[in-house]
Amino acid sequence: MRELRIRVLAGVFVVAGVLSWAGARLWNSVGTLPSVPLAAPVVLALIAVVLLATALSLRARLRAQRERRPGAKGVDPLMAARAVVFGQASALVAALVSGMYGGTGVFLLESLDIPARRDQAVYAGFSVLAGIGVVAAALFLERVCKLPEDDEDDGGPGAAPAA
């Protein structure tokens, strides 16, 4: 499984932001701009909390397993892989959605004197912050589930037999 790359996430964010800003300008010239839903930052924040809780739970279980604590509950490798895939997918979607709301928010900065547009800009800003939280939690989850590197081939315990 490949690691998330910050450059890819930043690229998705920037491209989505530019396209959203251009789309908002076009849509505003034709008619009324669609609103930024209040639920957008809430949903993104909930996803970030779920990812963070999963990462903290897995980290505690892995630490207990490594320290060989009595009664330590192990981590199923398939469950850890599913958690990482969920985190990676969430990070990519959050980068896209945050970019879209970021572009719309930048467009809305031109008309902060209108109360409705100001509220929409605030919702868009909170959506971007919550999206960054999702990306951070996903990267943390990925780091928690990363297998330790085996730099030495000294034939110690757990080393693969030479063929």
Side-chain angles (χ1 to χ4, degrees):
M1 187 176 305
R2 299 182 77 174
E3 288 184 27
L4 279 174
R5 302 219 189 273
I6 299 291
R7 284 180 279 153
V8 171
L9 296 173
V12 168
F13 177 82
V14 168
V15 168
V18 168
L19 290 175
S20 177
W21 174 79
R25 286 182 57 93
L26 178 65
W27 197 306
N28 192 52
S29 68
V30 173
T32 305
L33 186 66
S35 64
V36 177
L38 177 60
V42 173
V43 170
L44 287 170
L46 285 175
I47 292 171
V49 167
V50 167
L51 287 171
L52 184 62
T54 302
L56 292 174
S57 171
L58 286 174
R59 184 177 72 167
R61 288 171 60 186
L62 287 170
R63 181 177 293 149
Q65 188 176 0
R66 272 192 304 263
E67 295 172 356
R68 302 191 190 282
R69 291 184 193 156
K73 188 175 179 183
V75 176
D76 180 32
L78 187 58
M79 195 264 306
R82 286 179 181 156
V84 170
V85 168
F86 172 63
Q88 288 180 346
S90 298
L92 286 168
V93 170
L96 178 69
V97 170
S98 296
M100 289 173 35
Y101 287 131
T104 302
V106 168
F107 171 75
L108 291 171
L109 289 177
E110 299 172 0
S111 55
L112 288 178
D113 52 337
I114 302 169
R117 294 262 173 129
R118 186 174 348 146
D119 292 343
Q120 297 300 305
V122 168
Y123 298 157
F126 282 138
S127 296
V128 171
L129 291 176
I132 291 170
V134 170
V135 170
L139 291 172
F140 179 61
L141 174 62
E142 186 177 61
R143 183 173 174 262
V144 164
C145 292
K146 185 176 180 180
L147 293 174
E149 299 283 335
D150 188 20
D151 294 332
E152 300 177 27
D153 287 331
D154 57 3

